[in-house]
């Protein structure tokens, strides 16, 4: 069975992409926090408020590890940083309240096993 849900615009981003952006980002630059709770995809576009390696602080978004983009306080949770690409920013503008039914992971092809 193939997953036919639409995919999130950040689905191709790797940990290396996220680390490269946030390690080099300056205070005041755009930061995007991805929330995926309850089958909902939501991006909060904000800005970097401060830096204290290994963490970066997002205005009204919390603290995140630069290397992984994971939340400092809930690293196994469903709130992470993503790179603010044109696609991510356009999607966030088009879906300001988020959207249901988007896949944030590529199918591994293990359905039906």
């Amino acid at each position: 069975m193939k997953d036919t849900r639409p995919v999130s615009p950040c689905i191709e981003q790797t940990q290396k992409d996220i680390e490269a952006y946030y390690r080099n980002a300056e205070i005041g630059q755009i930061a995007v926090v991805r929330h995926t709770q309850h089958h909902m995809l939501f991006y909060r576009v904000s800005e970097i408020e401060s830096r204290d390696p290994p963490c970066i602080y997002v205005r009204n978004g919390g603290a995140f590890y630069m290397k992984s983009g994971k939340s400092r306080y809930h690293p196994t949770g469903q709130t992470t940083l993503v790179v603010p690409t044109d696609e991510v920013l356009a999607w966030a503008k088009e879906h300001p309240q988020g959207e249901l039914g988007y896949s944030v992971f590529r199918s591994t092809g293990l359905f039906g096993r």
Side-chain angles (χ1 to χ4, degrees), residues 21-22 28-35 44-51 55-65 69 79-82:
Y21 178 80
Y22 288 101
Q29 277 187 258
I30 294 174
V32 177
V33 179
R34 178 182 76 174
H35 302 276
R44 174 180 289 137
V45 180
S46 190
E47 66 182 43
I48 296 169
E49 187 171 47
S50 66
R51 301 168 46 89
C55 292
I56 198 154
Y57 298 84
V58 176
R59 185 173 310 283
N60 299 317
F64 297 86
Y65 291 108
T79 300
T80 60
L81 289 177
V82 296

Side-chain angles (χ1 to χ4, degrees), residues 13-42:
Q13 292 184 15
T14 66
Q15 182 176 324
K16 285 184 179 184
D17 297 332
I18 293 165
E19 180 179 12
Y21 178 80
Y22 288 101
R23 282 224 185 262
N24 297 303
E26 301 287 330
I27 293 172
Q29 277 187 258
I30 294 174
V32 177
V33 179
R34 178 182 76 174
H35 302 276
T36 59
Q37 286 89 347
H38 308 294
H39 305 287
M40 176 85 127
L41 173 62
F42 174 72

Side-chain angles (χ1 to χ4, degrees), residues 68-100:
S68 64
K70 293 180 179 183
S71 169
R72 179 178 178 185
Y73 302 109
H74 304 285
T76 60
Q78 296 172 302
T79 300
T80 60
L81 289 177
V82 296
V83 179
T85 62
D86 291 339
E87 294 82 12
V88 168
L89 295 174
W91 195 96
K93 185 175 182 179
E94 187 176 326
H95 303 93
Q97 301 299 315
E99 198 69 42
L100 288 169

